[in-house]
Amino acid sequence: MASIDGALLDFKRLDRLATGDTPIHHLDPRAKVLATLVFIVTVVSFGKYEVTALVPFFLFPVVMIALGNLPVSYIIKKIALLCPFALVVGMFNPIFDREVLVQIGSLGITGGWISFASIVMRSILTVGAAIVLVGVTGFPGVCLALERIGMPRVFAVQLLFLYRYIFVLTDEGSRMERARKLRAFGKKMEPGIFSSLVGHLLLRTWQRAERIHMAMLARGFTGEFHTRQNMRFGGKEMLFLFGWSTLFIIMRFLNLSQLVGSLVTGILP
Amino acid sequence: MSHHIVEVRNLRHVYPDGTIALRDISFRITHGESVAIIGANGAGKSTLLLHLNGFLSPTAGEIRIGDYPLTKATLPDIRRTVGMVFQDPDDQLFMPTVYDDVAFGPLNLGFPGTEVEQRVKDALEKVGAGHLQDKPPYNLSGGEKKRVAIATVLSMSPDILVMDEPTDGLDPYARRRLMSLLRDFSHTKIFTSHDLDMVLELCSRVIILHEGEVKADGPALEIFRNEELLARCRLEKPLSMQGCPVCGGKG
């Protein structure tokens, strides 16, 4: 369970990054959320054999990391953590898709390998963008922005509560697991014990939920969820959103890598 | 101001499973009093507290806060009058940041933005937590959490403060700090606690609950001197009133 504790601490670090003091941090969360959404949609919309056209898209996370003053190695580690999923998804492409698409000298590259590379790149881009977004906005900020954009309030509140109590819940869970381990003398967890642990955790969560609800009622909660209303969508936000969106759309329809490549090869004799 | 009066008359509460938590409780707490409700585990302290804010409704009997009986219609008003601080601050701090949490009550009460801001600032200032306002609750220490939890209630300017085990889980320094903070409040205060030394220092009056009944109600010193009574209710003298175990001196 130590690893879960560790991962959690790491997650808190991501949240602390969001308290940074850079121009990117000060932008209205809505601008950042929308720009990231446009980014993800354009990246995902490419055909399955597209690789070169995806390269320019790295500009967005790189610029955001640089301007937002985020620690690069930390972000890369977080992305690497999620990459195995992409590898599993793309794993079988090279086996099933053996049609040679690119010929470099005597080496033929099959469509399978190209689509595999495309999947991996896309996941790095989208996961990276999402992590960077949380790093420069903070989870609560993202939730509020989503709510303002039109996500039902219930979901936003659910997400906020999830985020608040995930730490408490995992703490509780890891304490229980530690207590079990101390008396298990190296034995593995049996299914029966596991279900009992989870059951207890559920009941405790239930009781806590009741206490939280009481605490909310005690402070006049009537179903409305008020938060600080200090979001402002101004000129800077407009510029940020439309600047990036335009760039993404241009990059979607013009293959910049190829363009640069042909320029270079055109100039060279 | 009669707003600050808490009156409980013949309160009885039976849980749905048939457990009788409170048999017949009556007391009256007046303006500015500082009262401790003490008793062994399972004596009914928590059940009683949950009644003061209308979370549980009496099986029989009546509760009056100020001039009003506690009913569905008066509930919103009474919940503002009675500020309840829970034992586990994690239950009370549920918003993303300390500021949002302290603002939760005033916003629900419909105060305008500037007033909310002022109230949050004042409440945090009062508990010495002004510098914590942008922090998320999970990044606070136990003592900080407790003080912020008190601020979330103070921001609604209640007349009566009800606290469940205020010093529970605090280190000696944080406990001292909290106690001197509580001493300065002019509200009517109702505590439950097993920390009898804290009770002795902060409360002039003590109510002992035992098996759902009031076994004693009187001045703190008088009750703590009655060893026979304390033993019968599974309690004991505060440590500061007991003889010193090292030098053998009498308390």
Side-chain angles (χ1 to χ4, degrees), chain A residues 29-255:
Chain A
R30 282 172 291 182
K32 289 179 272 187
V33 168
L34 282 174
T36 308
L37 280 180
V38 176
F39 175 82
I40 290 175
V41 168
T42 39
V43 166
V44 172
S45 72
F46 276 107
K48 73 168 181 173
Y49 292 127
E50 198 52 71
V51 176
T52 52
L54 285 171
V55 176
F57 278 89
F58 278 97
L59 191 68
F60 178 62
V62 167
V63 168
M64 293 285 275
I65 288 174
L67 289 181
N69 207 5
L70 301 179
V72 180
S73 63
Y74 172 74
I75 301 283
I76 289 175
K77 261 188 232 155
K78 288 281 101 167
I79 298 174
L81 207 66
L82 290 164
C83 266
F85 296 104
L87 291 180
V88 170
V89 170
M91 199 159 65
F92 294 107
N93 287 17
I95 299 170
F96 292 121
D97 188 353
R98 290 172 170 281
E99 189 192 340
V100 175
L101 285 186
V102 183
Q103 197 75 38
I104 305 174
S106 60
L107 183 71
I109 299 179
T110 63
W113 281 109
I114 293 178
S115 60
F116 175 65
S118 180
I119 286 175
V120 171
M121 258 170 86
R122 271 186 250 198
S123 33
I124 291 176
L125 279 171
T126 47
V127 169
I131 289 173
V132 168
L133 174 68
V134 176
V136 294
T137 316
F139 195 76
V142 174
C143 288
L144 286 182
L146 285 171
E147 193 226 309
R148 289 295 181 79
I149 291 166
M151 183 170 73
R153 169 155 279 203
V154 183
F155 290 140
V157 173
Q158 283 288 328
L159 278 175
L160 281 176
F161 271 96
L162 172 78
Y163 182 68
R164 168 68 182 89
Y165 285 101
I166 190 119
F167 298 116
V168 179
L169 183 70
T170 42
D171 259 6
E172 213 149 20
S174 52
R175 275 202 301 273
M176 285 170 100
E177 161 63 4
R178 209 174 301 141
R180 185 201 68 85
K181 240 186 207 156
L182 280 171
R183 290 182 287 151
F185 304 104
K187 264 200 186 170
K188 283 245 167 65
M189 181 136 41
E190 291 159 27
I193 294 174
F194 176 75
S195 52
S196 166
L197 274 185
V198 171
H200 267 283
L201 205 55
L202 178 71
L203 288 177
R204 280 196 207 180
T205 310
W206 187 283
Q207 285 176 334
R208 186 181 288 283
E210 273 185 357
R211 291 198 302 270
I212 293 166
H213 188 230
M214 281 197 265
M216 293 171 76
L217 289 178
R219 291 194 269 148
F221 181 67
T222 50
E224 260 310 285
F225 220 81
H226 305 274
T227 34
R228 263 192 282 183
Q229 317 261 326
N230 58 357
M231 284 196 202
R232 215 185 69 86
F233 204 94
K236 264 191 272 177
E237 282 75 16
M238 284 291 213
L239 192 70
F240 181 85
L241 178 55
F242 284 103
W244 280 115
S245 303
T246 319
L247 187 63
F248 297 153
I249 290 163
I250 292 173
M251 293 199 290
R252 171 69 184 84
F253 293 107
L254 286 178
N255 188 334

Side-chain angles (χ1 to χ4, degrees), chain B:
Chain B
M1 284 186 286
S2 53
H3 237 69
H4 302 214
I5 291 173
V6 178
E7 188 166 15
V8 174
R9 275 188 219 149
N10 305 105
L11 178 64
R12 180 181 173 83
H13 189 87
V14 182
Y15 279 110
D17 65 354
T19 319
I20 303 173
L22 302 175
R23 279 172 202 281
D24 178 18
I25 306 261
S26 297
F27 58 80
R28 181 184 160 90
I29 295 172
T30 52
H31 175 62
E33 266 193 295
S34 181
V35 180
I37 296 172
I38 62 174
N41 299 124
K45 302 184 299 284
S46 303
T47 310
L48 175 58
L49 283 201
L50 290 179
H51 277 87
L52 297 183
N53 220 334
F55 294 126
L56 291 177
S57 33
T59 310
E62 191 193 15
I63 296 159
R64 296 180 78 90
I65 308 283
D67 297 325
Y68 307 103
L70 209 162
T71 61
K72 256 218 157 74
T74 56
L75 207 52
D77 209 36
I78 281 175
R79 286 192 171 151
R80 194 200 65 71
T81 315
V82 181
M84 173 104 47
V85 180
F86 288 73
Q87 180 173 0
D88 183 353
D90 265 326
D91 295 338
Q92 191 140 10
L93 306 175
F94 44 78
M95 297 292 280
T97 67
V98 166
Y99 182 100
D100 287 326
D101 225 305
V102 181
F104 185 83
L107 282 172
N108 281 330
L109 292 174
F111 289 111
T114 46
E115 162 122 32
V116 170
E117 212 165 294
Q118 191 58 43
R119 277 171 177 264
V120 173
K121 235 185 100 202
D122 291 346
L124 283 173
E125 209 63 55
K126 205 172 243 174
V127 299
H131 59 291
L132 300 174
Q133 65 166 356
D134 291 321
K135 280 201 172 184
Y138 56 75
N139 268 342
L140 306 180
S141 73
E144 287 170 338
K145 273 187 197 172
K146 202 88 197 187
R147 280 184 284 135
V148 171
I150 294 174
T152 64
V153 171
L154 288 184
S155 62
M156 302 189 298
S157 45
D159 301 313
I160 300 159
L161 262 185
V162 177
M163 302 185 73
D164 196 2
E165 296 278 1
T167 53
D168 182 45
L170 298 186
D171 62 48
Y173 175 78
R175 171 175 172 270
R176 277 282 152 214
R177 216 176 143 183
L178 184 79
M179 279 163 63
S180 60
L181 176 72
L182 295 177
R183 191 176 293 124
D184 290 340
F185 289 160
S186 56
H187 308 76
T188 302
K189 283 169 279 190
I190 303 174
F191 302 127
T192 70
S193 189
H194 292 300
D195 181 353
L196 299 180
D197 287 278
M198 187 253 334
V199 169
L200 187 62
E201 281 192 42
L202 290 185
C203 305
S204 47
R205 178 175 163 199
V206 169
I207 296 174
I208 296 187
L209 286 194
H210 187 59
E211 289 173 353
E213 284 175 348
V214 175
K215 275 278 143 66
D217 181 353
L221 264 177
E222 199 174 289
I223 283 182
F224 284 139
R225 284 205 182 105
N226 189 342
E227 276 181 65
E228 189 267 329
L229 169 74
L230 291 176
R232 198 152 31 91
C233 300
R234 294 178 37 187
L235 295 165
E236 61 175 33
K237 275 185 179 181
L239 292 175
S240 55
M241 284 176 73
Q242 293 181 16
C244 170
V246 180
C247 62
K250 283 274 181 193

